[in-house]
Amino acid sequence: MTASTGSTPGADTSVAFSDPTYREAVIDLLAAVGYGEISAFERLAEDAKLAPTLEDKHALASFASQQLAKVEPICARLTSLGAESFVAMEGFREGFDAFHAHTAPSDWWEGLVKAYVGDGLANDFYREIAAFLDADTRDLVLTTLDDTGHTAFVVDRIKAGIAADPRLAGRLALWGRRLMGEALTQAQRVAADRDALSALLAGGVDMPGLDLAAIGRMFTRLTERHAERMAEIGLDH
Amino acid sequence: MTASTGSTPGADTSVAFSDPTYREAVIDLLAAVGYGEISAFERLAEDAKLAPTLEDKHALASFASQQLAKVEPICARLTSLGAESFVAMEGFREGFDAFHAHTAPSDWWEGLVKAYVGDGLANDFYREIAAFLDADTRDLVLTTLDDTGHTAFVVDRIKAGIAADPRLAGRLALWGRRLMGEALTQAQRVAADRDALSALLAGGVDMPGLDLAAIGRMFTRLTERHAERMAEIGLDH
């Protein structure tokens, strides 16, 4: 009975991990999340330079630090799964770096919208994929979702910016669409290179899977949630 | 009796703070420390880009976060002293930014030596100035000295780098001298603009002061400690 609750470390997870493809998929997933956080730190630290005030700079630098703090537990888990954590993360450097290279913000506002869109999309994807994970891995992935005031800050600043200069809205709406397109492009490239991650979505030992239609519906949900988030900040053009 | 222990918040400090020049000096000092930490975050986040491995990048990013975490208590203290914390810090932006603009590292090694020299010098200066502060302010300044493994990491990496390429030592020894020269130049400029800070060193209500000879000896100590630190990493050329 205790094993079925999923809260005992190493209990029910050992069943799932007896499937080497599942283990490989979880290592890939955690490595992607971990590199994503390091990459988010770099992006936010860079965007902090564009801040109009020292207080805004400090706020963005603090968000960067919060993202980075999530890397340590991911590393510990990768190590306990027998992976070299930073070597595993290296495999995702190209995809994330390409995304950031293609979406370098040209000003403070684009940086804010990028942080908002990127975090929202990552959170949605982690919630979607959590359903396919063993309890321990799921808990770890879900702890990376903690929003510590970042979104509220960004929403507040963007709304104030648009109120002060309504022409901002059109430009930032287009920017949001471009970010989403680039994120989907890079995600598809990463998934195409990662058989185990793709297999995870398709199902495995004791794991429910998704057929192609279900994967399609998942992407539709992610796109809809993105549109909702843009609407929340008045960028639903 | 309790007041004389200096551990009761707002007790003995209120005596010191009845001197407006002392209050102004402490606000200046804390603002300088606070902006210095934000600036250290920016510098370390920037240097993290030069890291040869993802693990080194993560290490430097973590040190950046640790510096930033020190800003929050400084802000709280500035606010409790009636200052606008970020406005007060702005006053030190020019000096710190000029220092960093004149000492931008050209590679990973110069970045490491700069972090090592800069942190060491800041720590020595805070220890020196602590003697002139009320107990609460002194405790706050001394908590910013906590070294959380940063120095050991830097020393380890620099020694390994020189072992692998002995020619590095000459170049980095010169770089260390240039950093010290630039730090002293900017510190003198900042002090010249800040009458209250200078007055703090010269003594005030219930505070011991330094005459010119004593200030000279303090700078001699700071320079000697710098030379010792350079020797510790094999850069005493």
Side-chain angles (χ1 to χ4, degrees):
Chain A
M1 286 300 284
T2 43
S4 68
T5 66
S7 60
T8 315
D12 64 338
T13 57
S14 60
V15 177
F17 286 109
S18 64
D19 175 359
T21 306
Y22 178 73
R23 176 185 291 266
E24 196 187 328
V26 167
I27 289 172
D28 270 0
L29 177 68
L30 294 180
V33 173
Y35 189 79
E37 302 294 2
I38 293 178
S39 179
F41 169 90
E42 289 190 291
R43 178 247 298 166
L44 288 164
E46 192 70 25
D47 293 355
K49 292 181 193 167
L50 302 168
T53 69
L54 189 54
E55 189 167 7
D56 282 347
K57 184 196 288 277
H58 178 251
L60 232 63
S62 300
F63 301 145
S65 293
Q66 287 161 10
Q67 300 292 328
L68 196 80
K70 299 171 182 175
V71 176
E72 201 72 47
I74 298 278
C75 283
R77 180 75 168 157
L78 282 167
T79 305
S80 79
L81 290 173
E84 290 271 11
S85 53
F86 288 103
V87 174
M89 288 182 202
E90 277 288 354
F92 293 91
R93 192 196 274 249
E94 199 182 324
F96 278 98
D97 287 7
F99 171 74
H100 289 304
H102 293 159
T103 58
S106 68
D107 66 7
W108 168 246
W109 304 108
E110 291 189 1
L112 282 186
V113 171
K114 183 176 169 182
Y116 176 70
V117 166
D119 286 0
L121 197 56
N123 285 353
D124 284 347
F125 176 70
Y126 297 158
R127 276 197 203 92
E128 290 278 353
I129 210 165
F132 305 96
L133 298 171
D134 63 281
D136 288 348
T137 308
R138 184 169 61 235
D139 289 350
L140 179 59
V141 168
L142 292 178
T143 59
T144 67
L145 297 177
D146 293 337
D147 184 342
T148 45
H150 190 164
T151 303
F153 169 87
V154 170
V155 169
D156 178 71
R157 286 297 192 275
I158 295 173
K159 282 185 173 170
I162 293 173
D165 176 9
R167 289 167 308 171
L168 250 186
R171 175 159 73 88
L172 294 181
L174 273 176
W175 172 245
R177 293 230 287 272
R178 189 170 138 208
L179 289 170
M180 185 64 183
E182 190 65 33
L184 289 175
T185 302
Q186 294 301 332
Q188 278 164 354
R189 278 193 196 157
V190 168
D193 287 347
R194 301 275 157 181
D195 290 342
L197 259 186
S198 308
L200 177 68
L201 287 174
V205 175
D206 293 333
M207 292 286 156
L210 289 177
D211 54 22
L212 274 179
I215 291 180
R217 285 194 296 275
M218 184 179 92
F219 274 98
T220 302
R221 281 194 299 277
L222 291 175
T223 307
E224 284 170 358
R225 300 276 290 278
H226 167 72
E228 285 166 22
R229 264 192 306 275
M230 294 301 281
E232 274 172 46
I233 53 173
L235 298 182
D236 47 343
H237 296 262
Chain B
M1 284 301 283
T2 44
S4 69
T5 67
S7 59
T8 313
D12 63 338
T13 57
S14 59
V15 177
F17 286 109
S18 65
D19 175 359
T21 306
Y22 179 73
R23 174 185 293 264
E24 194 187 331
V26 168
I27 288 173
D28 270 0
L29 177 69
L30 294 179
V33 172
Y35 189 79
E37 302 294 1
I38 293 178
S39 178
F41 169 89
E42 289 191 290
R43 177 247 299 166
L44 289 164
E46 191 70 24
D47 293 355
K49 292 182 192 166
L50 302 168
T53 69
L54 189 54
E55 189 168 5
D56 282 348
K57 184 196 287 277
H58 178 250
L60 232 63
S62 300
F63 301 145
S65 293
Q66 287 161 9
Q67 299 292 328
L68 196 78
K70 298 171 183 176
V71 177
E72 200 72 47
I74 298 277
C75 282
R77 182 75 170 155
L78 281 168
T79 304
S80 80
L81 289 173
E84 289 271 11
S85 52
F86 288 103
V87 173
M89 288 183 203
E90 277 287 356
F92 294 90
R93 192 195 273 249
E94 198 182 325
F96 278 97
D97 287 6
F99 171 73
H100 289 304
H102 293 160
T103 58
S106 67
D107 66 6
W108 168 247
W109 304 108
E110 290 188 2
L112 282 186
V113 171
K114 183 176 169 182
Y116 176 71
V117 166
D119 285 359
L121 197 57
N123 285 353
D124 284 349
F125 176 69
Y126 298 158
R127 276 198 204 91
E128 290 278 353
I129 210 164
F132 304 97
L133 299 172
D134 63 282
D136 289 347
T137 308
R138 182 169 62 236
D139 290 349
L140 179 59
V141 167
L142 292 178
T143 60
T144 68
L145 297 177
D146 293 337
D147 184 341
T148 45
H150 190 166
T151 304
F153 169 87
V154 170
V155 168
D156 178 71
R157 287 296 192 276
I158 295 173
K159 282 184 174 172
I162 293 173
D165 177 8
R167 289 168 308 172
L168 250 187
R171 176 160 71 89
L172 293 181
L174 273 177
W175 172 245
R177 294 231 286 272
R178 190 170 135 207
L179 289 171
M180 185 65 182
E182 190 66 33
L184 289 176
T185 302
Q186 294 302 334
Q188 279 165 353
R189 276 195 196 155
V190 168
D193 287 347
R194 301 275 156 178
D195 290 343
L197 259 186
S198 307
L200 176 68
L201 287 173
V205 174
D206 292 334
M207 294 285 156
L210 289 177
D211 56 22
L212 273 180
I215 291 180
R217 284 194 296 275
M218 184 180 91
F219 275 97
T220 302
R221 281 194 299 277
L222 291 175
T223 307
E224 283 170 358
R225 300 276 289 279
H226 167 72
E228 286 166 21
R229 264 193 305 276
M230 294 301 279
E232 275 173 46
I233 53 172
L235 297 182
D236 48 340
H237 296 260

